[in-house]
Structures are given as structure tokens and as C-alpha cells.
Amino acid sequence: MTNNQNPLFQKIEQIRRRPNKVKDTAITLAHGSGGKAMRDLIDDIFVGSFDNPILSQLEDQATIPLAQLISQGDRLAFTTDSYVVDPLFFPGSNIGELAINGTVNDLAVSGAKPLYLTCSMIMEEGLPVETLRQVVLSMKTAADAAGVQIVTGDTKVVHRGSADKLFINTAGIGVIRDNVSSSAHQIKPGDAVIINGKLGDHGAAILIARGELALSTDIKSDCQPLNGLVDAILEVCPDIHAMRDATRGGVATVLNEFAQSSEVGIRLDEASIPIREEVNGVCEILGLDPLYLANEGKLVVIVPRSHAESVLSAMKSHPAGKDSCIVGEVIDSPAGVVLLQTAFGAERIVDMLVGDQLPRIC
């Protein structure tokens, strides 16, 4: 199917060509005043782009039939997150796509099917309207790709200098499938540790995009929705012991949280951990550890050893998991500790991150 035949592509093109109600080139305080300027902004950029039956009611809340939720599972998953990434646009993604995928992924790793999202924008006076349009359009594209709807939201405008261009908050609800229970407390010795691809791409891409270093690379953010990959995993193994997306603090932080929650040890095999040469190079120059770098399209899955190969095969068959690999195992002791077996045969402790390697990466 060519782009011209793709319904999503056709919808995005319709939005791009629609006449604009907002004639201002930059956001002003009037766009947050509650009057006509704000209504035009909401109708033009938000409702006009996100466009679905629930949002179009323009009530102060989204109304969703309970029967529709109950038919898809037996528990509700609810999450919220805020996005302050700098810069707004970076190789491979932008703040809008990040906000959608980040919230979708937080729901997905609980075993939930993501369904509905909210969107709140805090805009700085002077933000170019065209920048806002691009961000919102990318959110629409990401939401459609993930199969979710943005059903309610809010906008606020603050004085110039009171924020940094644009901050976004998204909240999401989803329904957890029957008989699926993923929790760090279920991890047991002998379980396998699986990740779905190369680590550290997002953190490295943000670092390079800030232009503070005289470095030039082709590293792109790994920002992507993971709900389709989770579907593939649960299809072959509903008995997932734990899943989590490795965002701030990276894989090292996730595994430390797992080890401490279940009072087990985790041993990683350094030779099995996939990291791009370019990411390794950036980390060596700056004294960073790629295990702590943020990701926005990577998850850590802990599965019973008996299901490891079938889960790995299912993950590799999905585009978001084609580079998946087993990188370690759960051990009895030392409890609460993550160990890394190095290429030289020695072991070192991979401790919880202290401080912040790189602020405002999401």
C-alpha cells in the first residue's frame, strides 16, 4: 500500500490542508483567557486534529460507557506523566509523539490494552503557533498508530519566561486482560531477563540534539509504542512475571527496582547486551554508562525460563522487537543486587542510579 492509499496518511493530509482559524503566528496570553482566541485555538489545533466522537462533545470531561471497558478485561489501568523534554524536536521524534507513546507504554507494560488518553498543554507566551501545530499533528499520528483516542484535555498559557516553550501532561486509561498479572513481586530465581533491542538511543539522541557538544552522529530516539509488542508477548505467555519500560534511569534502574521488590539477585551478561557503537562512543567521551541512559521504546521482560524461547521468538516477529535478546537471569543471591558479568569474566555491581545523568530527557 502506498502512502496515498493509506487511510492514516490521507487523514493527516486532510488535517494539514484544512483552513486555519488561528491567524496569530505566536501564542499570546489571550489564547489562555477563556475567550474567543482560546476557543479558536482549541477548535482549530486540538479538536480539529484529534477529532473523535468523545472529544467532539466538548464537555469538561470525557464520558465513556462502562460496558465498553468491562467487555475487554476485568481491571482498569490508569497512569499519568508529564513531558518537559529539551529540545522539543530531536532526531527520530518530538515532545508530542513522546507524550503519546510514553503514556501508551506505561499502560501496556501492566498488561493493559491502552484505550483513551487526556492531553494538557502548558504553553509559554511567544511559542510559535506552527510549532504547536506540528506537535499536535505528531500526537494525532502517534495516537492513531497506537490505536488510542485523545478524548479530553486542557490548555494553559503562562507569561514569557515562566516556562520553556511547551510542557505536556498526558493521562491514560486501559483495560487489563483477564488472567494477566504482571508484578515485580512475582519474579523468581531461574527467570530469564529479555529486552527488545539496543539501549540508550533516546538519551544519546537528546544529548546530541542539544548542540552542546561538537559531535555529529546518526543516533535517533527509539520512541515507539510498545502495546503491539506486549500483545505478541502475552499471546504466547500470559504468565509474564514482570514488565516495565526502561525510561529515566535506563535498564539498570528497572532491574534494581525488580531485584529489590522481589528480594532476588539479577545477573546480566555484558556480551549479550545490545548497544550501538555510536552510543558507546558518546558514553565513553562523557563518562556515562549506557545501562543508565533513557529509552523511550524499550521494555524489560522477566519470564519463566521455560517460556523464554517462545517469548523471544514472538518478540522478534514484531517490528518493535526484531532485535530482542536474552541478556540475563534471576538468581537467589545476593538479594536486591544486580550484577554484570563482564567480557573479562569478572563481575561488578550495577547499582541504582545516584543523581541524574541527563536532565529533561522526557
Side-chain angles (χ1 to χ4, degrees), residues 184-192 241 262 264-265 302-303 329-331:
H185 298 284
Q186 299 176 158
I187 298 172
K188 298 178 176 62
D191 287 351
H241 285 176
S262 289
V264 296
I302 309 291
V303 301
E329 62 178 344
V330 179
I331 55 179

Side-chain angles (χ1 to χ4, degrees), residues 22-29 31 41 124-130 160:
V22 177
K23 304 303 181 183
D24 301 284
T25 59
I27 296 298
T28 69
L29 293 176
H31 291 117
L41 182 77
E124 183 186 18
E125 179 188 13
L127 174 73
V129 169
E130 183 56 32
R160 192 184 303 268

Side-chain angles (χ1 to χ4, degrees), residues 89-161:
F89 294 84
F90 44 88
S93 192
N94 62 68
I95 189 173
E97 184 179 2
L98 186 65
I100 299 300
N101 289 338
T103 301
V104 164
N105 294 346
D106 284 346
L107 291 170
V109 294
S110 73
K113 177 180 175 59
L115 297 172
Y116 302 108
L117 270 59
T118 72
C119 167
S120 292
M121 299 270 191
I122 299 176
M123 299 169 285
E124 183 186 18
E125 179 188 13
L127 174 73
V129 169
E130 183 56 32
T131 297
L132 182 62
R133 287 189 191 280
Q134 291 178 36
V135 169
V136 170
L137 191 56
S138 73
M139 295 179 76
K140 165 65 174 175
T141 304
D144 286 351
V148 298
Q149 291 182 318
I150 300 166
V151 294
T152 190
D154 183 53
T155 61
K156 292 292 187 295
V157 179
V158 298
H159 287 87
R160 192 184 303 268

Side-chain angles (χ1 to χ4, degrees), residues 274-339:
I275 301 169
R276 296 183 196 280
E277 288 186 13
E278 299 93 330
V279 173
N280 263 327
V282 169
C283 289
E284 288 176 4
I285 291 171
L286 300 175
L288 302 176
D289 186 334
L291 291 178
Y292 295 97
L293 281 185
N295 310 273
E296 288 297 342
K298 297 297 182 296
L299 54 72
V300 182
V301 191
I302 309 291
V303 301
R305 171 52 73 173
S306 59
H307 289 78
E309 293 303 327
S310 60
V311 169
L312 183 63
S313 178
M315 291 174 69
K316 286 186 172 183
S317 69
H318 191 277
K322 58 185 178 60
D323 296 321
S324 298
C325 52
I326 298 173
V327 297
E329 62 178 344
V330 179
I331 55 179
D332 286 297
S333 63
V337 175
V338 179
L339 300 173

Side-chain angles (χ1 to χ4, degrees), residues 71-236:
S71 68
Q72 300 187 60
D74 59 0
R75 285 156 294 158
L76 189 70
F78 179 38
T79 189
T80 185
D81 209 343
S82 298
Y83 298 86
V84 298
V85 64
D86 177 38
L88 299 181
F89 294 84
F90 44 88
S93 192
N94 62 68
I95 189 173
E97 184 179 2
L98 186 65
I100 299 300
N101 289 338
T103 301
V104 164
N105 294 346
D106 284 346
L107 291 170
V109 294
S110 73
K113 177 180 175 59
L115 297 172
Y116 302 108
L117 270 59
T118 72
C119 167
S120 292
M121 299 270 191
I122 299 176
M123 299 169 285
E124 183 186 18
E125 179 188 13
L127 174 73
V129 169
E130 183 56 32
T131 297
L132 182 62
R133 287 189 191 280
Q134 291 178 36
V135 169
V136 170
L137 191 56
S138 73
M139 295 179 76
K140 165 65 174 175
T141 304
D144 286 351
V148 298
Q149 291 182 318
I150 300 166
V151 294
T152 190
D154 183 53
T155 61
K156 292 292 187 295
V157 179
V158 298
H159 287 87
R160 192 184 303 268
S162 297
D164 189 1
K165 298 180 285 293
L166 176 66
F167 298 155
I168 301 177
N169 173 272
T170 46
I173 62 172
V175 179
I176 300 177
R177 303 158 176 81
D178 298 340
N179 304 316
V180 171
S181 177
S182 172
S183 168
H185 298 284
Q186 299 176 158
I187 298 172
K188 298 178 176 62
D191 287 351
V193 180
I194 307 177
I195 59 176
N196 64 308
K198 297 178 174 63
L199 303 181
D201 288 1
H202 178 73
I206 294 296
L207 184 62
I208 299 301
R210 288 180 181 166
E212 298 170 354
L213 303 170
L215 295 175
S216 177
T217 74
D218 294 327
I219 301 171
K220 294 182 179 180
S221 171
D222 61 341
C223 184
Q224 62 180 337
L226 296 173
N227 50 327
L229 178 62
V230 171
D231 289 345
I233 293 170
L234 294 177
E235 184 70 25
V236 298

Side-chain angles (χ1 to χ4, degrees), residues 187 189 252-267 330-339 349-352:
I187 298 172
T253 297
V254 169
L255 292 177
N256 271 280
E257 291 170 350
F258 282 169
Q260 292 168 16
S261 295
S262 289
E263 298 183 345
V264 296
I266 295 176
R267 180 187 290 118
V330 179
I331 55 179
D332 286 297
S333 63
V337 175
V338 179
L339 300 173
I349 293 175
V350 179
D351 209 346
M352 185 72 81

